[in-house]
Amino acid sequence: IAVPLLAALWPVLSGTAITVREAISTYGLGGGHFGANRLDRLIERFGQRFLSAPYAVALGNMFRRKGRMIMTQSVLILAGTMFLTVLSLSSSINLTLDNVFAKHKYDFLVIFDDDERVDRAIDLAENHPNIEYAEVWFEHGASLLKEGQRLKEAGLGAQLVGIPNGSDSFRPNLIVAGRWLQPDDGPTVVIRKDTADDNGVKVGDTVVLDLGELGDAEWQVIGFYQNVFSDIGETDPIYANLNAVFKATNKHNRGTQIRARTQFHNEEYVQTVTTQLKEMYEVKGIDVSESIVLKENRRNVDSQFAITITMMLVLAVLMALVGGIGLMGALSISVVERTREIGVMRAIGAKTPTILGMFIMEGVLQGLISWVIVVPVSFVLGKPLANALGIALFEANLDYQYNFSAVLVWLVVILIISTLASIIPARSATVVSVRDSLAYA
């Protein structure tokens, strides 16, 4: 209810401010003046030099009502900026995920029901002809303490995750402070940034991990990571070297999951190898709780972000449609204002295609002008908005990538929208008879 009233406020107030003398002396609806300033004269000279007379008139008429043009352009520019920015955000998210998954140099993982012997699990995996490499990780439930006090736990709790010393098969999604584990690190951990922020933990601090029946152990925090996404079943991992975890838990040669790299990496092939390995384990009495294929996990992550991108893209398309409707309305008003002008042109021999071409050209030029403005605006705004989205989603900047192909896509879209928006007003301009138009005040 409020929006139409506010939109009408300025034109109504400006209309009621007109004096009686101005109202009586105004000549009909076509009172817009063109040629009174330097921009108008520049446009006029350009039209005279490069365009035929009817299209030069159309170019000038587009700038006759500059306020109306600015309002129409504002909607089209906003729609185009949103469209290009959203597609650039999509490209940036895909690039970020590509970089994240490039750090995961394994194809699948298998999680065991119970602790299993490392050598046995690896021997069975490496005996499979299609598995090139395998390593076993060890996990144990843990609670984080600082100065003897239990800290707030993120999600369902924490897991102390032991990674084989020097392994290159995995890196957290984003290291946002400090560093990652080195092969010769002792009792050092890399924890999630959210957990550190919630509890005032800084890089270099010493924390205590309560390992339940295995007692407590002191660890030095050497880095913070932030997840772009979480693996299935993940509960706030605390990463450490496997040897240090074995020493702290007093468990050796034990593992809770195996991660493996296959000969080929397409999803169907990896799924087949994963199923075969699970069956081998079951035959040997090793119970498997679940398995995760990296390619499938990537598709699931893509689908999560696709919802956000699709919603923003739908909003941009709706804005483009609103801009098209606004352009149609502006051209329709222009037809009414220029009824006498159209009548004069028809009287001196202007054909219907000429009249149609004038108004369609006016609409298409509006679309092209908005496109020319949109490209640099979206290029400037793209990276800050991508970083803002990254901070909002996972408190880290995205790896930004501007989508240059979207520029051409939007050019095609805006030309279609502006052409369609021009057809109805242009058609209405051709059906006015010469007598009626010349008689129009």
Side-chain angles (χ1 to χ4, degrees):
I1 295 174
V3 169
L5 295 176
L6 292 173
L9 186 62
W10 182 79
V12 168
L13 291 177
S14 61
T16 56
I18 297 176
T19 65
V20 174
R21 183 188 62 80
E22 290 173 329
I24 293 175
S25 62
T26 297
Y27 184 77
L29 295 173
H33 298 289
F34 179 78
N37 57 52
R38 184 177 298 177
L39 175 63
D40 292 349
R41 291 191 292 272
L42 180 64
I43 292 169
E44 191 173 34
R45 286 197 297 271
F46 177 86
Q48 290 173 349
R49 183 171 182 179
F50 296 104
L51 300 174
S52 61
Y55 297 112
V57 171
L59 179 64
N61 281 329
M62 186 173 67
F63 290 89
R64 179 185 293 182
R65 297 284 190 177
K66 294 180 179 64
R68 183 189 302 157
M69 178 183 175
I70 289 172
M71 287 189 289
T72 304
Q73 283 291 309
S74 298
V75 182
L76 294 175
I77 290 169
L78 180 59
T81 303
M82 287 183 61
F83 184 87
L84 295 184
T85 302
V86 167
L87 289 186
S88 294
L89 288 176
S90 178
S91 296
S92 300
I93 288 175
N94 286 330
L95 178 61
T96 302
L97 292 177
D98 287 341
N99 292 338
V100 165
F101 276 89
K103 299 175 183 177
H104 295 12
K105 295 177 178 156
Y106 64 93
D107 292 302
F108 71 92
L109 65 91
V110 172
I111 301 174
F112 306 130
D113 273 343
D114 301 306
D115 297 353
E116 302 292 343
R117 285 174 48 191
V118 173
D119 54 354
R120 185 170 181 234
I122 288 182
D123 286 344
L124 287 171
E126 291 183 344
N127 283 334
H128 192 291
N130 302 118
I131 293 179
E132 291 185 338
Y133 172 79
E135 64 182 31
V136 172
W137 291 19
F138 179 70
E139 296 183 355
H140 193 281
S143 298
L144 200 60
L145 289 81
K146 185 181 180 185
E147 298 176 354
Q149 300 297 316
R150 186 180 300 275
L151 302 181
K152 304 172 189 175
E153 292 179 348
L156 300 175
Q159 287 281 105
L160 178 60
V161 180
I163 300 175
N165 293 44
S167 170
D168 67 346
S169 67
F170 171 81
R171 290 288 186 276
N173 301 157
L174 297 167
I175 297 292
V176 294
R179 63 174 177 84
W180 180 238
L181 300 166
Q182 299 293 335
D184 56 349
D185 284 339
T188 57
V189 291
V190 177
I191 67 174
R192 189 176 176 185
K193 184 177 183 296
D194 292 344
T195 303
D197 291 344
D198 289 344
N199 300 284
V201 178
K202 296 181 175 59
V203 173
D205 285 353
T206 297
V207 296
V208 175
L209 294 183
D210 179 3
L211 303 177
E213 72 279 1
L214 300 178
D216 298 344
E218 289 189 349
W219 301 77
Q220 184 182 24
V221 178
I222 61 169
F224 300 151
Y225 71 89
Q226 191 68 44
N227 276 346
V228 176
F229 65 94
S230 296
D231 286 337
I232 298 171
E234 211 170 51
T235 58
D236 198 6
I238 300 171
Y239 296 108
N241 277 332
L242 185 59
N243 289 343
V245 174
F246 281 158
K247 184 176 180 180
T249 60
N250 201 27
K251 289 189 176 184
H252 300 275
N253 196 35
R254 310 299 293 180
T256 54
Q257 62 174 260
I258 187 167
R259 302 194 176 208
R261 188 162 56 240
T262 57
Q263 185 177 1
F264 303 105
H265 310 294
N266 61 80
E267 185 178 345
E268 184 178 356
Y269 178 86
V270 175
Q271 286 279 15
T272 301
V273 174
T274 305
T275 302
Q276 292 171 352
L277 182 61
K278 288 165 62 178
E279 291 172 352
M280 288 172 59
Y281 281 147
E282 295 290 347
V283 170
K284 296 297 183 178
I286 298 177
D287 295 329
V288 174
S289 62
E290 64 176 319
S291 61
I292 300 171
V293 173
L294 201 64
K295 295 285 187 183
E296 182 181 11
N297 202 16
R298 171 64 192 268
R299 281 195 294 105
N300 293 335
V301 173
D302 285 340
S303 64
Q304 293 173 19
F305 286 107
I307 296 173
T308 303
I309 295 298
T310 300
M311 290 177 62
M312 291 192 292
L313 194 57
V314 167
L315 183 59
V317 171
L318 289 176
M319 286 294 300
L321 292 176
V322 170
I325 293 171
L327 178 58
M328 185 186 300
L331 290 175
S332 296
I333 295 173
S334 180
V335 169
V336 175
E337 290 178 341
R338 291 154 59 187
T339 299
R340 286 180 61 86
E341 176 186 316
I342 295 169
V344 170
M345 293 184 66
R346 295 297 295 270
I348 61 176
K351 303 296 183 182
T352 295
T354 302
I355 304 297
L356 279 171
M358 286 176 59
F359 283 94
I360 291 177
M361 173 190 168
E362 192 173 330
V364 170
L365 280 177
Q366 290 257 31
L368 285 174
I369 289 173
S370 72
W371 178 80
V372 169
I373 297 172
V374 158
V375 174
V377 170
S378 65
F379 189 83
V380 171
L381 294 180
K383 189 169 184 177
L385 290 176
N387 289 338
L389 179 65
I391 295 297
L393 291 177
F394 39 83
E395 299 185 3
N397 291 336
L398 292 174
D399 297 326
Y400 182 66
Q401 183 178 60
Y402 187 77
N403 193 328
F404 288 96
S405 61
V407 173
L408 297 178
V409 173
W410 181 248
L411 175 61
V412 174
V413 170
I414 196 63
L415 288 177
I416 293 173
I417 289 176
S418 57
T419 301
L420 293 176
S422 308
I423 288 175
I424 294 178
R427 181 62 183 164
S428 66
T430 64
V431 298
V432 180
S433 67
V434 174
R435 183 181 62 82
D436 291 341
S437 60
L438 293 176
Y440 187 78

